[in-house]
Amino acid sequence: MNGHRVGAGSRERLYVSTTATYDEIADLDLIAIEYALNGEPVQLTRAEKIHAARILDSRGLEPSAIARRIESDHSTVAGWKANGWKPGKPSATGKPKRSEPVCGEARMYRRHLKAGESCDICRAANAAADRRYKATGSRKAA
């Protein structure tokens, strides 16, 4: 008896390159990327994962399907796409990052404590923030 499982037939194979096997400029192993594109288990670097994800996205795959093929998380793939196929995730809130604390701010007091330092200016700022919190429910100055 010749049985045939549905979906087990020949599938279109995706190729990254027909001539090159390695991209020296971007440090990409194109054969490993090709294996990942076709669902074969392979270890990829982050740059190779991003390259493979960009190719799979151009083929119309969803981030969850892309993530399964490159063995990554779907939110990571969505972050790369939102960031122009570059590493890192864009800010979810769109807010700029907080500036580094300076002496005289309550949050710098915690850094001094962690480092085992003593700073009277920061300790006073932290005490003032604690008083504001007890009085108003917020550590921020009005």
Side-chain angles (χ1 to χ4, degrees), residues 112 116-120 123:
H112 284 305
E117 302 167 348
S118 177
C119 178
D120 293 333
R123 187 172 55 229

Side-chain angles (χ1 to χ4, degrees), residues 32-53:
I33 292 171
E34 184 178 308
Y35 281 177
L37 292 177
N38 291 293
E40 299 173 26
V42 65
Q43 292 289 327
L44 298 175
T45 65
R46 183 170 56 175
E48 291 166 349
K49 285 182 179 186
I50 292 171
H51 189 75

Side-chain angles (χ1 to χ4, degrees), residues 83-100:
N83 204 24
W85 298 110
K86 293 185 178 94
K89 293 183 180 178
S91 174
T93 60
K95 294 180 183 176
K97 291 186 177 183
R98 285 178 67 172
S99 61
E100 286 293 314

Side-chain angles (χ1 to χ4, degrees), residues 4-135:
H4 186 75
R5 193 179 84 227
V6 176
S10 62
R11 182 175 91 192
E12 176 190 7
R13 184 145 180 96
L14 302 175
Y15 297 99
V16 177
S17 173
T18 57
T19 56
T21 60
Y22 184 73
D23 182 353
E24 292 181 19
I25 297 169
D27 194 28
L28 300 174
D29 180 358
L30 300 177
I31 294 174
I33 292 171
E34 184 178 308
Y35 281 177
L37 292 177
N38 291 293
E40 299 173 26
V42 65
Q43 292 289 327
L44 298 175
T45 65
R46 183 170 56 175
E48 291 166 349
K49 285 182 179 186
I50 292 171
H51 189 75
R54 186 175 60 219
I55 292 171
L56 290 170
D57 181 67
S58 69
R59 307 272 305 175
L61 270 71
E62 295 293 321
S64 57
I66 295 170
R68 274 192 302 276
R69 288 217 184 159
I70 65 171
E71 297 178 357
S72 189
D73 188 56
H74 70 87
S75 61
T76 303
V77 173
W80 290 336
K81 184 176 180 179
N83 204 24
W85 298 110
K86 293 185 178 94
K89 293 183 180 178
S91 174
T93 60
K95 294 180 183 176
K97 291 186 177 183
R98 285 178 67 172
S99 61
E100 286 293 314
V102 294
C103 276
E105 294 181 7
R107 58 192 181 131
M108 188 61 184
Y109 175 71
R110 291 181 283 284
R111 285 216 181 159
H112 284 305
L113 284 181
K114 187 175 181 180
E117 302 167 348
S118 177
C119 178
D120 293 333
I121 297 169
C122 292
R123 187 172 55 229
N126 188 60
D130 284 343
R131 284 192 301 274
R132 272 192 304 276
Y133 180 73
K134 289 176 184 173

